[in-house]
Amino acid sequence: MPVARTLAVALTGLEGTVVEVEADVAAGLPAFHLVGLPDSSMLQARERVRAAAAQIGAGIAQRRIAVNMQPAWLPKHGSGFDLAIAIAVLAAQGDLEAEDIAGVVHLGELGLDGRIRPVPGTLPALLAARRAGVGRAVVPAADADEARLVEGIGVVPAEDLCEVLRHHGSRAEVHPPAPQQSLPAAARAPDPERRERLDFCDVLGQLQARRAAEVAAAGGHHLLLAGPPGAGKTMIAARIPGILPPLGNRDALDVSAIHSLSGGFDARAGLITDPPFEAPHHTATTASVVGGGPGLARPGAISRAHAGVLFLDEAPEFPSRVLEALREPLETGDVTLHRARGITRYPARFQLVMAANPCPCGHAWGRGDRCTCTPLQRRRYLARLSGPVLDRIDMRVEVGPVDLRRVDAAGEPSAAIARRVRAARERQRRRFAALPWTTNSQIPGSALRGDLAPERGGRRMLEEAVDQGRLTLRGHDRVLRVAWTLADLDGAEIPDGDHIGTALSLRGKDRT
Ligand SMILES: [Zn+2]
């Protein structure tokens, strides 16, 4: 019997590696060996491959079968190798011509009934295959739209194993699996957040918070909205992606690949070009927020928010280990997940928007008559944010209850705000054209004290604030970055005293 080889793709984070799946069928006691660091879910692949082949009439011989996956050192997780294993084995026992399958990538999990189920990460897998020079890929029919986003690679969608065998000119008589009674496995939950258009014209009043949201969007700054429940903090946060510019090509590919891996990517509309918005609940697990999970370390909300907005509602309620884990991505723009089998890295350059009640009961506002918290509870509540994150927040804005008698007109629509944001971003792009950063939020401290230092009057204002203890040294730099964004929104060449004064008031008082 000949040895047969075909291809699959192993993913580590967003990085894919083409894997050669080699099958050898020999006389001897019936056995099915899988070699090449398979994890426990891959051991079940043997059962699925046997059952699926039997269901379509392509039995796997009772012989000594050995399947070897190269490179052997590479960890291989999940069920996406099923199809490649089945095809290699069936070719090795003579049902297929070995040369027909040799250069083709096969992706898909096999159901026991012979159907092919979708796999996470089809987009990054095919990007890796194309980089490796692969010209053709067989993918689950449910992943076909996603696979076709990768240009330059021939995509063959398949519903079941029978279709794949017929595509490769099977010598064995095969038939489609019996019709299924239940819903097709391909059905996926749509992503309502992505399509829904939330507009700032729905937000009444809240001039300062709206202004802060615009500044945050224009310069990529982090924002804390503090105020009682029902004041509209969540409404404002959820509308920030709608005033951000659409994603560039690189970001669109990365964001789409991350969402492909974590599930819920609807590829029918193409790559994701709207900046994402992720709002994990404070009861969510650390793995679901930061990334992780058994086997393949999946991206968490902070990576799904890459190039968009990560919104933490009731931020002080989040466990400290989650808040602590934000420190690294806030500094580096990505997150490193340490697993038993190695390290996975995902992009996580998000804009952080947090909302906080003034106290645990939420009523310590205005005269605070209804607040039932003790002074100690109130102090501890916001102090939970202080260590890892609060100092990295550029703007802290109070959002009070709206007095509807004093609001007479609908708010300005998002489209008008988005135009100003786009113009401000364009000024930054031109100013930083030859530099390694793109938004004001990324200006290093050295540049703020060098080429991008404000005029003397503005410098003196900041120095006074530091001297009086109203501003920390780190806060000093953050205020200056926001002042640059205010200048860009005004079309000014350099921040003046007004811009710095406004940035100082948006920063809020630094606790000492
Ligand atoms: Zn209270």
Side-chain angles (χ1 to χ4, degrees), residues 359 361-362 371-373:
C359 65
C361 85
C371 174
T372 55
C373 312

Side-chain angles (χ1 to χ4, degrees), residues 95-223:
D95 292 2
L96 302 171
E97 198 66 58
E99 64 193 37
D100 290 337
I101 62 161
V104 183
V105 157
H106 289 87
L107 299 180
E109 173 185 327
L110 287 173
L112 296 174
D113 59 0
R115 285 186 171 72
I116 300 172
R117 300 179 193 281
V119 290
T122 296
L123 177 64
L126 285 208
L127 287 171
R130 183 181 64 183
R131 262 197 311 275
V134 172
R136 196 153 46 117
V138 179
V139 303
D143 290 330
D145 288 329
E146 195 177 315
R148 289 196 185 101
L149 294 175
V150 181
E151 286 163 16
I153 198 161
V155 170
V156 182
E159 295 276 359
D160 54 60
L161 184 57
C162 170
E163 280 185 24
V164 185
L165 291 181
R166 285 181 176 165
H167 172 80
H168 290 310
S170 172
R171 294 193 194 95
E173 272 298 310
V174 286
H175 55 77
Q180 209 174 21
Q181 309 88 335
S182 56
L183 285 170
R188 290 194 214 177
D191 186 354
E193 240 148 21
R194 199 182 149 203
R195 307 271 170 256
E196 207 176 328
R197 281 278 165 206
L198 301 172
D199 200 292
F200 264 102
C201 66
D202 307 328
V203 181
L204 301 177
Q206 306 297 12
L207 286 181
Q208 204 201 13
R210 295 164 57 103
R211 177 72 172 154
E214 175 176 340
V215 174
H221 306 289
H222 305 307
L223 173 65

Side-chain angles (χ1 to χ4, degrees), residues 425-466:
R425 288 264 179 146
E426 182 56 28
R427 292 182 71 89
Q428 294 165 65
R429 207 183 55 75
R430 283 201 304 266
R431 180 166 63 240
F432 303 144
L435 296 164
W437 59 85
T438 51
T439 58
N440 290 330
S441 62
Q442 298 163 343
I443 306 175
S446 54
L448 291 171
R449 284 177 287 277
D451 289 350
L452 295 175
E455 287 160 345
R456 197 182 330 165
R459 281 209 305 274
R460 201 174 301 141
M461 272 175 86
L462 287 169
E463 282 157 14
E464 270 171 28
V466 173

Side-chain angles (χ1 to χ4, degrees), residues 76-362:
K76 304 170 192 72
H77 302 286
S79 46
F81 299 92
D82 289 1
L83 183 59
I85 294 169
I87 292 300
V89 169
L90 290 167
Q93 69 177 26
D95 292 2
L96 302 171
E97 198 66 58
E99 64 193 37
D100 290 337
I101 62 161
V104 183
V105 157
H106 289 87
L107 299 180
E109 173 185 327
L110 287 173
L112 296 174
D113 59 0
R115 285 186 171 72
I116 300 172
R117 300 179 193 281
V119 290
T122 296
L123 177 64
L126 285 208
L127 287 171
R130 183 181 64 183
R131 262 197 311 275
V134 172
R136 196 153 46 117
V138 179
V139 303
D143 290 330
D145 288 329
E146 195 177 315
R148 289 196 185 101
L149 294 175
V150 181
E151 286 163 16
I153 198 161
V155 170
V156 182
E159 295 276 359
D160 54 60
L161 184 57
C162 170
E163 280 185 24
V164 185
L165 291 181
R166 285 181 176 165
H167 172 80
H168 290 310
S170 172
R171 294 193 194 95
E173 272 298 310
V174 286
H175 55 77
Q180 209 174 21
Q181 309 88 335
S182 56
L183 285 170
R188 290 194 214 177
D191 186 354
E193 240 148 21
R194 199 182 149 203
R195 307 271 170 256
E196 207 176 328
R197 281 278 165 206
L198 301 172
D199 200 292
F200 264 102
C201 66
D202 307 328
V203 181
L204 301 177
Q206 306 297 12
L207 286 181
Q208 204 201 13
R210 295 164 57 103
R211 177 72 172 154
E214 175 176 340
V215 174
H221 306 289
H222 305 307
L223 173 65
L224 169 68
L225 302 167
K233 304 188 295 283
T234 307
M235 270 185 98
I236 292 166
R239 281 158 179 75
I240 293 176
I243 57 173
L244 288 170
L247 302 181
N249 207 22
R250 178 69 211 262
D251 282 342
L253 267 179
D254 279 349
V255 170
S256 302
I258 291 165
H259 286 247
S260 160
L261 263 179
S262 64
F265 172 39
D266 182 357
R268 281 169 299 185
L271 292 176
I272 298 174
T273 52
D274 292 341
F277 178 78
E278 290 290 325
H281 192 259
H282 59 78
T283 57
T285 62
T286 308
S288 75
V289 179
V290 178
L296 177 75
R298 294 287 182 91
I302 64 169
S303 292
R304 288 196 304 277
H306 178 64
V309 172
L310 178 72
F311 177 52
L312 304 186
D313 200 3
E314 300 185 55
E317 303 283 354
F318 277 79
S320 56
R321 64 178 179 281
V322 171
L323 296 172
E324 190 65 35
L326 299 179
R327 193 196 293 259
E328 182 201 343
L330 284 173
E331 294 292 328
T332 64
D334 52 27
V335 60
T336 310
L337 303 166
H338 296 268
R339 321 292 306 161
R341 285 241 180 82
I343 289 171
T344 308
R345 194 185 294 272
Y346 288 113
R349 182 175 38 76
F350 51 82
Q351 204 170 333
L352 181 60
V353 178
M354 298 196 296
N357 292 337
C359 65
C361 85

